[in-house]
Amino acid sequence: MGTEAASGRPERIGVFGGTFNPPHSGHVHLANALVRSLGLSRVLIIPANLPPHKQAQMLASGEDRLQMCRLAFAGAPFEVSAMELTRGGKSYTYDTLAALHAEYRGAELYLFLGTDMLLTFHQWYRPQGILELCRLCVAARGAMAEYQSLEDYIRNGPLGDISSRVTLCIAQPFPLSSTELRERLRAGRSVEGLLPQAVYGYIQEKGLYHMLDTQRNSEFVEAIRIKLRPERFTHSINVAQAAEQLARKYGADPEKAYTAGILHDIMKNSPPKEQLAVMEQAGMPLTAVERANPKLWHAMAGEAYVRCVLHVQDEAILQAIRYHTTARAGMSTLEKVLYIADFISADRDYDGVEGMRKAAGVSLEQAMLEGMRFCIVDLVQTGQVIHTDSVEAYNEILIAEAAQGEKPNA
């Protein structure tokens, strides 16, 4: 796709990436200021799959962040791209720019950066390669002292003089961070003027970033106390605590993780006939593989019971409960957190549990592989069927690891 403006000059395209967790009025304000300053014909808004340079806290799903970006940046010159979400893995800026450079041949790419990102740019993955593919467009706040300090850094920073590849723009400050905004949403404080109205409506509709009612968690504890044997009740509380800790480490919602942990085994001690009845009432058909392995039923029945009897409507929690036994391809961070927490909770004492706990401290993916290997080997040795979801989950992580390799930073 060649890109040339009507004047015959190369098309100028802005590239605005980030977690957008959520996209807020500061993002929109900055993007509009840079469009005016640089005379851009279009701006690509690209939500990251996984940011390589930080642990994102309370990271909403990729689909939710994509939809919020579409609402926040509706209309020209903005175009929202799912390229990093589709690519999967960690979102390295160089990889994205290389793909855009090939797609928009002849265009001038302007990568939007905040001043804090410029100061760590030399630590990113292939910073010199990024400079060859685009110009950095840095939004400086209005203070002259800051502007002069940035100019000096651009000329004398760790990468040497990069002034020929950097454009400094003055933008009025919008004092807001996504972290602060999420805390406001969690606490139920006003966010008037801080979020585009359509984005706020979406957050409310989906229940994103909100702290779950602690009274409901108390009700859920009593619900499992009634339905579970004492040792399974203790296990569920331990899983809830482990899930909360993993969620804080890996960027899932700790409150949702705790709730999912409490409820994940709610049907574990129910007779098979009751589990089947709950699934049938919820309209949940079983595949031939699922019928052949009753040990899988409690997770499916648990989702049905939590949805239909306890009236939990949060899909993230429900899906975590549903797949905490089999896993599946395309798992959310919350689903992975619950899957692993079930392996490493404080009551677990099987051979190899310390290795699983060590893996969980390294990465979700490493712990997932350890857990799935453990389960698959056990199923093979005992002559049981293996759910296709488990095979697909295992293969997905192996393929992703082989494709991504290890890269240093942004």
Side-chain angles (χ1 to χ4, degrees), residues 180 225 234 243 309 335-336 339 375 385:
E180 177 189 352
R225 193 190 303 275
T234 299
V309 179
E335 290 172 46
K336 294 177 182 178
Y339 183 88
C375 290
V385 297

Side-chain angles (χ1 to χ4, degrees), residues 127-138:
Q128 293 289 0
I130 292 174
L131 292 172
E132 293 171 5
L133 293 169
C134 73
R135 291 186 65 86
L136 305 185
C137 182
V138 181

Side-chain angles (χ1 to χ4, degrees), residues 7 59 70 110 194 197 205 225 231 271 347 355 390-391 397:
S7 64
L59 186 65
R70 288 171 176 158
Y110 288 78
L194 304 180
Q197 191 58 42
E205 177 186 347
R225 193 190 303 275
E231 69 276 7
D347 56 294
S390 301
V391 176
I397 294 178

